[in-house]
Amino acid sequence: MFLHGTSKIDASGELVIGGCSTVSLVEQFGTPLIVYDEELIVERIHAYHKAFEKAQMTYHLAYASKAFSSLAMCQLAMEQGLWLDVVSAGELHTALKASFDPKHVYMHGNNKTPDELRYAVQAGIAFFVVDNFHELELLSTILEEEETHADILLRVSPGVDAHTHEYITTGQQDSKFGFDLASGQVNQAVARVLELHRLRLIGLHSHIGSQIFEATGFAVAASRMADLWQHLQREYSIDLHVLNLGGGIGIRYTSEDMMPPIENTVYGVLKETEKAFLERGMTVPLLMMEPGRSLVGEAGTTLYRVGSRKDIPGVRSYLSIDGGMTDNPRLALYGARYEACIANKMLEPATDLVSVAGKACESGDMLIWDVHLAKSQPGDILAVSCTGAYNYSMASNYNRMARPAVVFVKNGQSSLVIQRETLDDLVRLDVVGSNRHVVHSFS
Ligand code: LLP
């Protein structure tokens, strides 16, 4: 298995992350356990900051909290000078509970509900990334009721196909997100914004997709946005000053993935964007990016206990662990590939070819097909790397499985940042007996 960040193997053959033995972590916190290497998260944030600084940009770097939203993560993002992208009342609430400055929070979403918009307006967030015509009207009405104003960016679907899994591309024309550029929806939206006096258009947003390895897609999107910017300034004489290029640098899930170095790649994207604006005789706007996966993905490792095994002669060996699609649905959803190791037997040869299965009642509940591991026994610890982005945030309670605990590790110290769900948590919202109010809808 490729070792990410501060991961090491100690003399007794145990996987160590952030100076903490994974064996001790599991003894202390149980399994499944998601372990975040805090130093690696910070290193990744610095790489982005360095790219912006090297390119001498005026910028705000945001964290797309959908990748992993928790109080501790919001606090870490805040300490590192990041802004926060939220896509729901829940993510906003998490940010506010973490005392994140609402002036550095902004909201995305293709169907923000009236309650979500109102909550965000009342919290005083920095701006809204407005996705569609319905939202323009809804937000305007809410601002009217609240007797206030809001800054907005328009989310533009720039028509760039970024060569990633079709469910995680978002910038191509046939997408549920944003105002379509090609058919002129952006112009219509701008014209409408100018009639809605509670809204102040300050910029544009484009996001071409996630897990993207090539900088070309960003460059194409940036040049389309520069064209649009010029057109809007000429046509409507509006003073736009924020361009948000979305998230999207891919990460290395397996040894075969070649992750482009963040600093150079982002620097390249920024320089291309600068060029696109300067070539058109415009000043370069304040630039924003909102990475999620590349900040937290590789920093996360999930630890499980090995349980049952089924050997089908001449076919396959299934090795089951005490979690699965309920804490990591990414193979089931996207065919995602992961690497793994037996964390307490790191010095033993990886000669056992198995497929790692989850424990949910579903044949599709697999974590890895065909992986070579050290020969394991029930009770050994399986570590799956690169589970920091879109794993906990997409976890479910299918089969009434409890969601895992999460710890941050750094310099030999571990801190529990999300408690393991308990069996009682699973029934906490259920209503029975005298608390159950029967409502008759028919008279
Ligand atoms: N900005 C916008 C508008 C987005 O839609 C996304 C991701 C990001 C930023 C962050 O992109 P990142 O830097 O993480 O690539 N559940 C899927 C990923 C969905 C991505 C959704 N949007 C997965 O597990 O791969």
Side-chain angles (χ1 to χ4, degrees):
M1 184 181 83
F2 176 74
L3 292 180
H4 302 261
T6 65
S7 297
K8 288 192 188 64
I9 301 169
D10 73 7
S12 60
E14 291 176 8
L15 177 66
V16 171
I17 308 173
C20 297
S21 148
T22 49
V23 175
S24 314
L25 288 172
V26 159
E27 276 161 12
Q28 194 180 351
F29 300 106
T31 51
L33 179 70
I34 304 180
V35 180
Y36 276 93
D37 179 347
E38 216 178 312
E39 232 176 277
L40 183 55
I41 302 179
V42 171
E43 186 188 305
R44 290 296 166 81
I45 297 172
H46 284 179
Y48 273 94
H49 276 309
K50 273 201 221 145
F52 278 96
E53 279 155 20
K54 197 165 128 200
Q56 299 185 314
M57 293 290 169
T58 314
Y59 75 100
H60 296 312
L61 178 63
Y63 166 58
S65 66
K66 72 200 84 178
F68 170 58
S69 170
S70 69
L71 297 178
M73 188 57 219
C74 287
Q75 282 173 354
L76 180 60
M78 189 165 52
E79 280 161 26
Q80 296 299 318
L82 301 185
W83 283 43
L84 208 68
D85 146 10
V86 299
V87 295
S88 67
E91 285 182 3
L92 173 58
H93 191 65
T94 308
L96 297 176
K97 285 278 173 192
S99 303
F100 212 99
D101 181 355
K103 288 272 156 279
H104 293 168
V105 177
Y106 59 96
M107 190 176 238
H108 266 295
N110 65 305
N111 191 24
K112 303 174 187 82
T113 65
D115 286 349
E116 283 177 322
L117 288 172
R118 190 167 291 107
Y119 185 27
V121 167
Q122 287 172 353
I125 66 167
F127 57 81
F128 293 82
V129 183
V130 175
D131 196 274
N132 51 64
F133 294 104
H134 167 70
E135 185 184 340
L136 281 177
E137 305 303 326
L138 194 57
L139 180 57
S140 169
T141 308
I142 288 167
L143 292 166
E144 206 69 53
E145 287 163 11
E146 299 289 326
E147 296 177 1
T148 184
H149 293 80
D151 285 349
I152 62 164
L153 307 190
L154 291 182
R155 176 154 178 181
V156 177
S157 175
V160 176
D161 186 351
H163 307 292
T164 179
H165 189 285
E166 67 172 303
Y167 291 162
I168 48 182
T169 53
T170 49
Q172 80 280 16
Q173 193 183 8
D174 185 3
S175 158
K176 72 170 179 171
F177 296 106
F179 294 96
D180 180 44
L181 181 59
S183 62
Q185 285 182 355
V186 183
N187 284 326
Q188 283 170 276
V190 171
R192 184 65 185 132
V193 172
L194 295 177
E195 292 166 357
L196 299 170
H197 69 284
R198 301 251 168 210
L199 301 179
R200 189 169 76 108
L201 179 61
I202 60 164
L204 302 176
H205 178 282
S206 83
H207 171 75
I208 55 173
S210 199
Q211 186 60 357
I212 293 168
F213 287 112
E214 298 157 21
T216 4
F218 287 103
V220 175
S223 106
R224 289 192 187 166
M225 297 303 274
D227 276 339
L228 175 64
W229 198 275
Q230 188 173 43
H231 167 75
L232 295 179
Q233 283 190 338
R234 285 186 182 154
E235 187 84 10
Y236 302 98
S237 336
I238 27 176
D239 179 27
L240 300 175
H241 56 271
V242 180
L243 176 63
N244 189 325
L245 297 170
I249 302 285
I251 63 166
R252 194 169 182 198
Y253 282 100
T254 69
S255 323
E256 285 158 31
D257 292 334
M258 291 310 294
M259 183 191 179
I262 291 179
E263 191 182 330
N264 289 349
T265 313
V266 173
Y267 176 77
V269 170
L270 297 175
K271 281 292 167 189
E272 286 293 327
T273 310
E274 179 180 54
K275 194 167 128 221
F277 277 78
L278 295 180
E279 271 174 4
R280 289 162 181 81
M282 300 186 290
T283 44
V284 184
L286 183 148
L287 287 182
M288 294 193 72
M289 277 187 95
E290 48 192 23
R293 192 191 310 268
S294 48
L295 300 188
V296 295
E298 287 179 45
T301 302
T302 309
L303 305 176
Y304 304 94
R305 287 274 186 202
V306 169
S308 66
R309 176 179 183 120
K310 176 180 179 182
D311 294 305
I312 313 171
V315 180
R316 186 185 298 283
S317 293
Y318 285 93
L319 187 68
S320 294
I321 43 84
D322 55 359
M325 66 190 295
T326 45
D327 58 80
N328 183 357
R330 297 194 70 259
L331 183 145
L333 278 174
Y334 317 116
R337 294 176 59 222
Y338 287 93
E339 290 186 347
C341 59
I342 301 298
N344 53 320
K345 293 182 172 167
M346 297 297 285
L347 299 177
E348 295 184 21
T351 51
D352 190 21
L353 177 63
V354 295
S355 290
V356 180
K359 70 189 291 305
C361 271
E362 171 137 351
S363 299
D365 177 21
M366 296 296 297
L367 282 189
I368 311 180
W369 291 108
D370 297 331
V371 57
H372 282 99
L373 299 174
K375 187 80 188 159
S376 61
Q377 301 299 323
D380 280 343
I381 301 161
L382 181 93
V384 177
S385 58
C386 255
T387 58
Y390 306 110
N391 281 234
Y392 192 86
S393 60
M394 295 204 298
S396 77
N397 292 125
Y398 178 50
N399 288 172
R400 288 242 143 165
M401 302 247 294
R403 284 177 301 165
V406 181
V407 292
F408 276 16
V409 291
K410 186 178 156 187
N411 297 333
Q413 297 206 318
S414 57
S415 48
L416 182 67
V417 299
I418 303 183
Q419 296 178 43
R420 179 176 307 288
E421 253 176 350
T422 63
L423 295 179
D424 278 340
D425 287 333
L426 295 171
V427 291
R428 192 171 52 87
L429 302 175
D430 291 12
V431 184
V432 283
S434 55
N435 293 329
R436 190 171 135 182
H437 296 290
V438 179
V439 178
H440 296 282
S441 357
F442 302 102
S443 52

